[in-house]
Every structure is written in C-alpha cells, then in structure tokens.
Amino acid sequence: MNMQMKESKMEEKRDNIIEDLVNKGIFKIDGRQLYQLNYYELMKEYIAEEESKKCL
C-alpha cells in the first residue's frame, strides 16, 4: 500500500508538471509527447523553462 501511495504522489506531481508545461505552450520535448517522458525528463525541462523565464 505504501508503494502505491508513493506512485500516486509521483504520478500527481508528473501530471502537474505536464499541465504547467502545456499551459506554457510546450507540448513536445525532443519530438516526444510529454506523457511519453519520465518524471526526470519532465522535471529537467520544467526547471530549464523556469530558469529561462528568470533571465527575461
């Protein structure tokens, strides 16, 4: 049960990142749909997007 809670929390975070990226107009990364990417790849793109926003 504990493992299932961990997965659902991780899935929830992943879904939130996908939603944020879509709201910013990002639908694909390296030619792949966001839902095809793992949490690490999504997080990397999300952080890069936030950093580029700070530079503006």
Side-chain angles (χ1 to χ4, degrees):
M1 183 170 170
N2 190 21
M3 183 63 135
Q4 192 171 17
M5 283 180 62
K6 252 186 177 177
E7 285 181 21
S8 62
K9 279 280 191 196
M10 192 68 103
E11 286 175 14
E12 186 179 327
K13 287 181 181 180
R14 186 176 177 275
D15 290 344
N16 288 338
I17 291 172
I18 290 173
E19 186 177 330
D20 285 347
L21 290 171
V22 167
N23 288 337
K24 293 176 182 178
I26 299 170
F27 302 98
K28 288 185 175 184
I29 299 173
D30 295 331
R32 293 170 41 201
Q33 298 287 331
L34 297 179
Y35 68 87
Q36 294 175 308
L37 303 171
N38 65 36
Y39 180 77
Y40 173 76
E41 292 169 309
L42 289 167
M43 197 63 186
K44 194 167 86 172
E45 182 65 27
Y46 182 77
I47 291 170
E49 183 65 25
E50 289 296 307
E51 289 295 318
S52 70
K53 192 166 64 171
K54 286 180 185 176
C55 292
L56 296 176

